Amino acid sequence: MTVAVILVTGVAAGGAARAAEDLPAERAMALTRLVHQDCGSCHGMTLKGGLGPALTPVALTGRSSADLAWVIARGRKERAMPGWEPLLPAQEIDWIARGLLDGRFLPAPATGEAR
Amino acid sequence: MITMAVKRFPLIVLALVAVAVSSCSTSTGTKDVASDRQAMVRGTGDLGLVVERADGAVVVVENTGRTALCRIDGLGDLSHASAVISRDARYAFVFGRDGGLSKIDLLGCRVVKRVIQAGNAIGGAISQDGRVVAVSNYEPGGVKLFDAGTLEELSEISARELTGANSKTVGLVDVPGRRFVVALYDGDEIWLIDAADPRQPAVRRYHNVGHMPYDAFVTPDGRTYVAGLFGEDGMVMLDLWHADAGVKRIDAGFSQSDEGERLPVYKMPHFEGVAFAGGNVFAPAVGRHDVLVIDGTNWRLRGRIPVAGQPVFTVARPDGREIWVNFALPDNGKVQVIDVARMKVVKTLEPGPAVLHMEFTPRGEEVWMSLRDADAVVVYDTATKGEIARLPMRSPSGIFFTSRAWRIGQ
């Protein structure tokens, strides 16, 4: 049991570290801004939802990053979600999908709404 | 003491004038009182506010000298925030994404009152008589009515209670007679809300108005409510002079054309400030590089004007001669100007990265534009189409001048 927990934590931390390394820091910052500002137009700047659903790790429980990346890339035709494939390379879409799951885009506890 | 305060904070609240008068008159005589009083009292007709969406703040601005006066923070999540203005043009009601409703004193530069009235909100309106503020909520879906003086909650119109299912509400506007109109994004309905008794509002429901209304506007005379339909090729209108006649569809004509499927929509078009000029409505098309021109008498499509990208806002210069258009990603660094007399784009501007909003001065000689990714608001002369001022702001979005106080449908 304990071993399993450690393993899972290890994988998650490893995943986040790898994701951060995938992109140059400048690009990672630009994409973070895009998530907050542009995705945030519909999903809220704190990702708690708006016209589109909430995108916090809790709200996305049970979703895989591959699943999320597919939706980001292709959009949802029956809803208002556009596909981002024409604007972003697959590697960056994948980075955003993993970031949504690991909570990287959430506001730091000391800032945002808590203020 | 008072004089020092005036120098540091030019927007002293009017209430302080009385204090100034009484304290000065004893020490400095009548003449100085008059000049002190002149220095402190100001009008509000040239004031406004700019939303700094990432910081949960608003900046109070004035459009005579084109300056920022002060900043008010602590307003929560202001992504997609909007504001309406009190009838005396002193207060602004700011609607935040997180359900926050804040009453701001533009003169005093302070929050008068703030309530968190829902989990997730999208916008609001103020009644014709200025006494009732209505808020459009996503979660829980519906509309809430508040006393404009105290922000006391007067009533809630719940989508779940009325329709049996939760629905986000969109396109909330005021119309004459202390009434409001709103559309249901998930419920395909339009509601005409009569708030004669705001504690017990009466709701008239229009069903099956079209699929996924996403925003709406009312014509400047308060007569015709028009909602855009995300799930269909067009819009729907309700003539409030003939409210018994029901709604009528406006076909945008793309489904019969050979222009193919619409493009992915990276930012929803907005109907706030939609242009009504020369008898025509100029509205953004969904997922197309077009501005729709709709005849304002028979509500049929007259034509389309090709533009540089997917339009977000289509705002008329107050004299109605020009329509200024901004765009969704990836064309959000551009603004195009349509000449209504010639029905075509006559100027393409590139004010800076991420033009989010445009607000004309009351008579239209200047337009203020927020450049989110340049962290600035720029002011353009609408005659020369050149930049005449630039104000640093942090991630600015909506700009709201007090002249909105006297316009129907804000």
Side-chain angles (χ1 to χ4, degrees):
Chain A
M1 191 65 181
T2 314
V3 175
V5 170
I6 289 167
L7 268 178
V8 169
T9 316
V11 168
R18 195 184 63 234
E21 285 162 12
D22 280 348
L23 297 171
E26 200 176 293
R27 193 58 197 151
M29 272 177 66
L31 287 180
T32 300
R33 187 176 173 89
L34 179 131
V35 168
H36 289 151
Q37 300 283 354
D38 294 299
C39 305
S41 296
C42 279
H43 297 283
M45 290 194 73
T46 54
L47 302 179
K48 288 181 182 169
L51 199 63
L55 297 179
T56 56
V58 173
L60 296 173
T61 302
R63 305 287 293 267
S64 70
S65 67
D67 173 23
L68 294 178
W70 195 91
V71 175
I72 296 168
R74 309 287 292 273
R76 280 186 189 278
K77 205 164 177 237
E78 72 283 9
R79 307 303 293 172
M81 176 69 185
W84 289 80
E85 230 165 23
L87 299 186
L88 299 174
Q91 183 206 13
E92 296 188 355
I93 289 176
D94 200 43
W95 184 85
I96 291 171
R98 280 181 281 143
L100 291 173
L101 289 176
D102 71 26
R104 186 185 316 159
F105 304 121
L106 295 185
T111 61
E113 287 175 316
R115 228 176 0 185
Chain B
M1 187 68 179
I2 294 293
T3 314
M4 274 179 60
V6 170
K7 277 178 189 157
R8 286 175 58 201
F9 302 106
L11 292 183
I12 281 292
V13 292
L14 285 174
L16 283 185
V17 170
V19 179
V21 169
S22 56
S23 62
C24 291
S25 58
T26 52
S27 57
T28 55
T30 323
K31 192 163 175 252
D32 287 350
V33 170
S35 61
D36 277 2
R37 186 175 180 141
Q38 253 177 355
M40 278 181 282
V41 176
R42 67 156 297 150
T44 57
D46 60 351
L47 296 184
L49 63 85
V50 179
V51 174
E52 290 187 319
R53 69 203 301 256
D55 292 321
V58 297
V59 176
V60 179
V61 296
E62 55 84 28
N63 57 41
T64 301
R66 306 177 197 101
T67 59
L69 297 173
C70 63
R71 173 179 280 108
I72 304 168
D73 57 18
L75 300 180
D77 181 353
L78 293 186
S79 58
H80 208 290
S82 62
V84 296
I85 309 292
S86 66
R87 59 182 285 126
D88 64 359
R90 174 169 172 181
Y91 301 98
F93 299 89
V94 179
F95 309 99
R97 167 72 83 189
D98 54 6
L101 165 61
S102 308
K103 183 174 179 177
I104 302 291
D105 179 355
L106 296 172
L107 280 176
C109 197
R110 67 193 178 102
V111 179
V112 178
K113 176 104 185 183
R114 175 169 161 78
V115 294
I116 301 292
Q117 54 84 37
N120 201 310
I122 193 63
I126 187 163
S127 64
Q128 181 181 40
D129 61 4
R131 305 197 187 278
V132 178
V133 170
V135 189
S136 173
N137 288 323
Y138 280 175
E139 189 55 52
V143 173
K144 281 189 178 181
L145 303 182
F146 294 86
D147 183 304
T150 62
L151 296 194
E152 178 201 352
E153 185 176 322
L154 302 173
S155 55
E156 176 178 10
I157 306 160
S158 154
R160 189 175 294 284
E161 276 177 29
L162 218 58
T163 71
N166 192 37
S167 171
K168 302 176 183 87
T169 54
V170 297
L172 174 66
V173 300
D174 64 283
V175 294
R178 204 193 264 171
R179 293 182 301 168
F180 300 96
V181 192
V182 73
L184 274 63
Y185 179 73
D186 310 290
D188 296 351
E189 290 188 26
I190 289 174
W191 291 351
L192 176 55
I193 300 166
D194 188 332
D197 177 356
R199 291 183 189 276
Q200 289 186 309
V203 181
R204 178 166 190 174
R205 294 167 63 188
Y206 295 87
H207 301 270
N208 302 315
V209 299
H211 194 39
M212 293 167 78
Y214 62 89
D215 199 6
F217 69 97
V218 67
T219 49
D221 56 7
R223 172 176 174 175
T224 312
Y225 182 78
V226 181
L229 300 172
F230 194 84
E232 287 184 30
D233 181 28
M235 294 177 276
V236 57
M237 64 83 88
L238 173 64
D239 181 353
L240 297 169
W241 287 12
H242 303 285
D244 291 338
V247 299
K248 181 185 157 189
R249 299 289 174 87
I250 304 165
D251 193 332
F254 288 109
S255 49
Q256 298 98 31
S257 74
D258 54 0
E259 292 170 57
E261 294 206 5
R262 71 183 186 197
L263 302 161
V265 180
Y266 293 109
K267 186 175 172 74
M268 294 294 271
H270 284 54
F271 278 10
E272 183 261 317
V274 96
F276 193 82
N280 297 308
V281 170
F282 296 77
V286 182
R288 311 274 180 176
H289 292 190
D290 289 287
V291 169
L292 305 176
V293 184
I294 295 148
D295 188 315
T297 51
N298 63 17
W299 295 93
R300 291 208 181 98
L301 185 76
R302 280 192 61 174
R304 307 187 205 112
I305 298 171
V307 287
Q310 292 182 38
V312 175
F313 286 100
T314 52
V315 191
R317 202 173 67 183
D319 62 310
R321 175 66 196 265
E322 291 177 351
I323 314 295
W324 288 52
V325 187
N326 72 332
F327 303 99
L329 276 173
D331 301 300
N332 60 357
K334 293 176 196 154
V335 166
Q336 287 194 311
V337 182
I338 293 170
D339 180 353
V340 171
R342 289 192 276 170
M343 287 288 189
K344 64 172 194 178
V345 171
V346 292
K347 189 87 180 173
T348 300
L349 305 167
E350 297 197 16
V355 183
L356 284 201
H357 197 217
M358 301 168 288
E359 177 87 333
F360 287 92
T361 48
R363 294 212 236 172
E365 79 287 358
E366 291 171 9
V367 62
W368 288 43
M369 296 185 276
S370 48
L371 309 181
R372 186 193 69 200
D373 292 350
D375 287 319
V377 164
V378 286
V379 183
Y380 271 51
D381 181 323
T382 57
T384 64
K385 313 279 188 286
E387 181 180 325
I388 49 177
R390 180 173 282 249
L391 292 78
M393 304 262 176
R394 292 197 293 254
S395 294
S397 56
I399 307 170
F400 304 89
F401 289 152
T402 51
S403 47
R404 289 169 174 258
W406 310 290
R407 292 208 296 262
I408 294 169
Q410 292 297 313

